[in-house]
Amino acid sequence: MNQQPVRAHHLPYGRQTLDESDIQAVVAALRSDWLTTGPLVERFERAFAEFVGASEAVAVSNGTAALHAAMFAAGVGPGDEVIVPALTFVATANAAVYQGGKPVFVDVCDDNLLIDVAEVERKLTERTRAVVCVDYAGHPCDYDPLLELVRKHRLILIADACHAPGALYKGRKVGTLADLNTFSAHPVKHFTTGEGGLITTNDTEMAARMRIFRNHGIDTDHRLRQERGTFHYEMQSLGYNYRITDFQCALGESQLQKLPQWVHRRRQIARRYDAFFQNFPLARPLVTSPDVEHAYHLYVIRLDLGRLKADRRTIFSQMRAEGIGVNVHYLPVPLHPYYRETFQTRPGGWPRAEAAYEELLSLPIFPGMSDQDVDDVTEALTKVLTHQGSV
Ligand SMILES: *Cc1c(COP(=O)(O)O)cnc(C)c1O
C-alpha cells in the first residue's frame, strides 16, 4: 500500500459551521440585560417550532435533557416500560431510566437500521407507557404504522429526531410526526447552540409541563416574577435545571436561518457517496426509502466482511491513518456494561442490530465539506478496502 496518507490533515466525521453573523448574534445577546431566561429563549423556540411546523417548541440545555423532559411529559414513572430501539445513542434509553422506567430494547430492520415496528408490537406489555423511535442517521422511521400502533394501545410516541431536523416522511416534516419530538443542538448535529436541545409538540399542555420541568418544577421563572413584582413561587413537581441561556438561543436562531441550505448540502454529499458505492462491491450504504427526504446526520455504510480479510476495527484504524475521521454508530445499547448489569440484557437478543454493529462505518458528512473532501474519503476507502479485499 502507498505509505503516503490520502490526507495530511484529519477530516472529522462531523463539524459545526459558524459564520460572522452567528458570532455577532451571540455578542449582541451578551450585551443585553438577559443572559438566561430572557426573551431570546422564546424567540428561538418560536423559530424552531416554525421550522418544523409544530405549534410548540421547548428549548432545554441539551438533547438528553430534551429526551428526559419528553419522558416526564409522557408520564413515564417507576416500573413503566419504554420501548427503545437497540441501535441508538445511549441517551435515548438513559432518559427512560432517569424517570425510573425500564427500557425494553427492540431490534432494528436490516436494510435501514430503523426500529422494527412488528417487533415493537410483540414487546408491548401492560406496563408499556411510551415508544421511542429514532430517526437513525437522519432517515425518518416508518411513522404511519408506529402511530397506528400507539393509538391502538393508548401509548405516547416519542421521536428521538436528533439525527433528522429537516427530514420528511411522506411529505410530512420530522418534528410534527410523533407526540413529542426531540432534537439536539450539539456541534456535531445539524445546527448548534454549543450544547442545547429542543422538544417539539402540538400538545400545549405537555409543552407547559416541560417548561416547568426544565425549571426545577417551579411554575414561574425569574423573569416572570420580576415582571409581576413578586417573590413567591411554588414547586409543583420534581424538575431539574435544564435551562438554556439566551446567548445560546441567539446562536441557535442565527444558525436556524442556514439550516435548510445545510440540509441541502448534506444531501448533495450523500448523492456523491451514493454514486461511488454503485460501483464499489466491498461496502454498501444503508437503504433509503422512496417515501422520505433524508436529513443525513450520518452517512453509514456496511462493510462486506465476507469479501474482506480484515475486520471493522482494522479498517477503522487504517481509515484514520489515511486522515479520514470515520466513526461507528453505535454499539447496541443493551450490550453496554451498565445495561447488562442493571437490566440483565445479554448478547444475542437483538441479532440484526448486533450483526450490523460489526460492519458499520460512518463516513464524514457535514455542510462545510467540499467535493474534494468527499473524494478523499472514497479514495481512502478504495485504498484501504481494495488492499484488504480477498476478491
Ligand atoms: C446527540 C444525540 C442525543 C443527545 O443529544 P445531546 O445534545 O448530546 O445530549 C440523543 N439521541 C441521539 C440519537 C443523538 O444523536
Side-chain angles (χ1 to χ4, degrees), residues 52-307:
V52 302
S55 58
E56 297 269 2
V58 178
V60 292
S61 50
N62 55 68
T64 305
L67 280 162
H68 188 184
M71 294 289 168
F72 173 78
V76 173
D80 287 343
E81 293 179 359
V82 178
I83 301 281
V84 175
L87 196 79
T88 182
F89 184 49
V90 290
T92 316
N94 292 352
V97 181
Y98 297 158
Q99 283 300 100
K102 178 189 172 194
V104 173
F105 295 102
V106 165
D107 209 355
V108 293
C109 299
D110 199 48
D111 55 349
N112 54 22
L113 305 182
L114 299 172
I115 197 164
D116 181 339
V117 185
E119 199 70 18
V120 172
E121 184 149 35
R122 277 195 283 279
K123 296 228 172 163
L124 296 181
T125 73
E126 290 189 341
R127 306 276 358 215
T128 310
R129 182 92 204 177
V131 174
V132 188
C133 62
V134 176
D135 300 321
Y136 178 78
H139 188 305
C141 296
D142 200 359
Y143 280 93
D144 278 342
L146 278 167
L147 285 165
E148 197 182 317
L149 192 69
V150 298
R151 295 295 171 254
K152 188 168 117 195
H153 296 274
R154 298 174 174 279
L155 306 169
I156 301 280
L157 183 65
I158 300 172
D160 180 342
C162 288
H163 293 185
L168 299 177
Y169 170 80
K170 298 184 182 173
R172 287 133 66 195
K173 286 181 179 172
V174 161
T176 60
L177 299 168
D179 298 303
L180 296 153
N181 311 269
T182 69
F183 296 89
S184 165
H186 184 276
V188 89
K189 304 289 166 62
H190 285 68
F191 63 99
T192 192
T193 57
E195 297 278 0
L198 296 126
I199 313 98
T200 58
T201 181
N202 289 329
D203 188 315
T204 321
E205 197 191 316
M206 286 210 270
R209 291 184 67 209
M210 292 187 289
R211 289 200 175 92
I212 291 171
F213 182 76
R214 77 171 166 198
N215 188 38
H216 308 279
I218 294 170
D219 56 9
T220 55
D221 67 21
H222 179 66
R223 186 158 63 110
L224 209 61
R225 286 195 297 279
Q226 175 155 320
E227 280 167 11
R228 290 179 185 169
T230 175
F231 62 86
H232 180 76
Y233 61 81
E234 287 178 355
M235 182 186 134
Q236 305 289 357
S237 54
L238 182 63
Y240 293 78
N241 179 352
Y242 281 160
R243 294 187 303 256
I244 187 168
T245 65
D246 279 61
F247 50 97
Q248 288 175 295
C249 291
L251 178 56
E253 196 188 2
S254 176
Q255 290 257 301
L256 274 187
Q257 295 172 21
K258 289 153 280 196
L259 186 48
Q261 83 202 41
W262 289 340
V263 174
H264 176 73
R265 178 60 190 151
R266 284 177 182 272
R267 289 182 182 136
Q268 282 182 332
I269 292 167
R271 294 294 79 79
R272 200 168 179 92
Y273 278 136
D274 287 346
F276 167 79
F277 285 107
Q278 290 204 327
N279 299 303
F280 189 75
L282 300 174
R284 63 184 195 285
L286 301 183
V287 176
T288 302
S289 160
D291 283 346
V292 309
E293 298 276 348
H294 202 306
Y296 291 104
H297 165 54
L298 303 173
Y299 191 92
V300 176
I301 61 168
R302 292 180 71 160
L303 302 168
D304 189 349
L305 294 177
R307 300 169 98 158

Side-chain angles (χ1 to χ4, degrees), residues 317-348:
S317 325
Q318 290 181 351
M319 286 297 286
R320 284 287 177 102
E322 296 296 336
I324 308 296
V326 288
N327 222 314
V328 174
H329 300 91
Y330 301 92
L331 173 66
V333 182
L335 302 190
H336 282 280
Y338 169 80
Y339 280 97
R340 291 200 201 195
E341 282 159 29
T342 313
F343 296 96
Q344 280 74 52
T345 49
R346 293 284 171 268

